[in-house]
Amino acid sequence: MNTTYFQSYLAQQQAAYASIPLDKVERITNLLKQCWEDDRQLFVFGNGGSAANASHFITDLGKGASDKLVSQGKGRRFRCLSLNDNTAWLTALGNDYAYEDVFVGQLQNYARPGDLVLTMSVSGNSPNLVKAVQWANEHGLTTIGLVGAKRGRLADLAQEVIVIDSEHYGRVEDAHMTICHMLCYSFMEQ
């Protein structure tokens, strides 16, 4: 067993975590709070590991954070949706139009001005994410991008951006999920 590799991996993961700008996490938390207070919808999406993170985040926010808010007598649950989770719709949009339309096509049905979009991408250049964020910006939604060090087009398009200082897919995706957990647990533990 090569423990040196694992020590190096952990050291680099800790550096990725250290690059998370907590002031921006707090700003995004405030956007989520405003979204909840205004009874707006939150849409989250990504590709690959980021798709799994989107689904995980929405589960934690829609169940865990919402349960906590209800138990505190605040009465309202988060209106949140992972656009990765309707396989039939994703494949219909991808097949009948183009894969770059799988998220924007859903936003066109659901989204309203004032709603919130959060997308995650290590590269920041996935055409389907870029197209959805462009559309959201043009239609009065607030857009958030969590990206890796390559930044990509999402870093320029999203209104709020967090860049993880790594290009390693696993480390960036882990840091993004940590941010998602911080967002959820800020409602559950404060």
Side-chain angles (χ1 to χ4, degrees):
M1 178 144 321
N2 185 354
T3 58
T4 304
Y5 168 78
F6 298 121
Q7 290 169 331
S8 174
Y9 190 98
L10 284 177
Q12 291 175 65
Q13 186 66 53
Q14 290 166 345
Y17 289 144
S19 74
I20 297 171
L22 298 180
D23 60 325
K24 290 186 178 189
V25 175
E26 185 170 5
R27 278 206 313 257
I28 293 169
T29 301
N30 290 335
L31 288 173
L32 286 176
K33 182 178 181 190
Q34 192 66 53
C35 181
W36 173 79
E37 287 175 352
D38 294 345
D39 199 25
R40 298 287 186 181
Q41 181 80 33
L42 167 65
F43 302 100
V44 183
F45 47 91
N47 292 301
S50 296
N53 281 352
S55 296
H56 185 158
F57 176 45
I58 289 303
T59 298
D60 288 350
L61 194 66
K63 184 197 174 294
S66 290
D67 285 353
K68 186 67 170 185
L69 291 167
V70 170
S71 73
Q72 293 171 342
K74 297 184 179 168
R76 184 181 307 122
R77 304 179 73 78
F78 273 99
R79 294 179 55 231
C80 53
L81 183 67
S82 168
L83 299 184
N84 292 101
D85 292 339
N86 189 329
T87 305
W89 201 354
L90 282 170
T91 58
L93 290 167
N95 184 65
D96 296 347
Y97 303 122
Y99 190 68
E100 68 185 44
D101 294 326
V102 297
F103 301 124
V104 72
Q106 294 179 72
L107 289 175
Q108 290 168 343
N109 280 54
Y110 286 131
R112 295 183 177 153
D115 286 343
L116 189 59
V117 161
L118 186 150
T119 190
M120 294 173 261
S121 173
V122 178
S123 73
N125 278 321
S126 299
N128 56 3
L129 305 180
V130 168
K131 189 170 185 177
V133 170
Q134 285 175 321
W135 185 92
N137 285 337
E138 293 166 2
H139 289 84
L141 283 74
T142 301
T143 55
I144 301 165
L146 307 182
V147 299
K150 291 181 183 178
R151 300 178 54 89
R153 291 197 58 212
L154 286 177
D156 297 326
L157 288 172
Q159 296 159 10
E160 294 288 336
V161 178
I162 291 181
V163 179
I164 301 302
D165 189 20
S166 176
E167 294 182 8
H168 185 279
Y169 276 74
R171 285 190 270 280
V172 173
E173 289 169 353
D174 284 348
H176 287 171
M177 196 63 233
T178 295
I179 292 167
C180 290
H181 277 140
M182 285 193 286
L183 295 171
C184 289
Y185 280 90
S186 69
F187 290 95
M188 295 164 66
E189 296 180 340
Q190 293 191 74

